[in-house]
Amino acid sequence: MPAAHGEDDRPLESAEPTCYRIVAQCTDPDHPGAAVLTHHAYGRTVEEAVAQARAELEGPGTVYGDRGLYRVVAVSEESPLTEEREQELARRRVVDWVMGAAQAELREPTGVPHSEMYGLLCDFFTRAIVFPGWGFPFGTEKDDASLHTSDPARALSRLLLEHLTHHQLELRERGTR
């Protein structure tokens, strides 16, 4: 999104300072402290927020400065949207990792044990892990009677059924109520 400009074509500063997350990485391999530090600072611009963080933590042998132990490696704006986006990316990384591990474990792709439960498990894993927030139909709700699936949900469902079968857990559908 382009920045707003004043009459002389200079960018207008926002009225309210924005919170920025500043990540610094250790530059001294012999330093026994943390490898990465995270600071939060407010500023109307990224530069202002970084300058504020550096000013508070600057000096010889401290976090920043001429002979500082850390250097800034990332700066990002903190907002509810940023947090939601970070959570979504983290969730996707976990789902991709779990799906890859599940698929690697499945050696025989033919047939599904307890196929009568496969669709229900796919729906569960899709709603609970792959796309949380879709929600679950409860009680007598008729709004969402269809079963949903996805590649990760299929891999997880199949892996769970294989695992239960391996442990000789008897699965059976309950009779009609």
Side-chain angles (χ1 to χ4, degrees):
M1 174 182 282
H5 289 81
E7 291 178 19
D8 59 358
D9 216 24
R10 286 184 299 172
L12 294 174
E13 291 185 357
S14 64
E16 293 293 318
T18 301
C19 182
Y20 291 94
R21 180 169 35 114
I22 301 164
V23 179
Q25 188 172 23
C26 186
T27 58
D28 183 359
D30 296 329
H31 182 66
V36 176
L37 297 177
T38 302
H39 307 285
H40 289 85
Y42 285 87
R44 288 181 179 77
T45 65
V46 170
E47 293 81 6
E48 184 179 308
V50 170
Q52 177 188 344
R54 288 180 68 89
E56 291 174 8
L57 302 164
E58 198 167 44
T62 60
V63 175
Y64 301 117
D66 292 339
R67 303 204 34 96
L69 300 172
Y70 292 82
R71 68 181 175 88
V72 173
V73 294
V75 179
S76 61
E77 184 177 332
E78 290 286 297
S79 72
L81 289 176
T82 304
E83 185 177 330
E84 284 178 33
R85 185 174 42 249
E86 290 295 322
Q87 288 176 353
E88 174 66 14
L89 291 172
R91 184 195 59 76
R92 285 181 186 212
R93 283 190 299 272
V94 168
V95 167
D96 289 345
W97 178 70
V98 168
M99 183 177 124
Q103 288 176 330
E105 287 295 321
L106 298 173
R107 293 178 178 83
E108 298 176 27
T110 58
V112 175
H114 307 290
S115 59
E116 67 277 4
M117 294 181 195
Y118 180 71
L120 290 173
L121 285 173
C122 286
D123 183 59
F124 172 78
F125 283 121
T126 297
R127 292 173 190 263
I129 295 173
V130 180
F131 298 111
W134 264 7
F136 290 88
F138 292 102
T140 58
E141 292 179 16
K142 301 293 183 206
D143 293 349
D144 189 359
S146 59
L147 298 177
H148 302 281
T149 191
S150 61
D151 286 342
R154 285 189 290 275
L156 289 169
S157 298
R158 189 177 160 94
L159 185 61
L160 176 59
L161 289 169
E162 292 280 349
H163 185 71
L164 295 175
T165 299
H166 171 76
H167 289 285
Q168 300 172 350
L169 184 63
E170 184 180 336
L171 300 175
R172 56 191 153 119
E173 289 189 55
R174 188 163 57 165
T176 57
R177 295 182 229 195

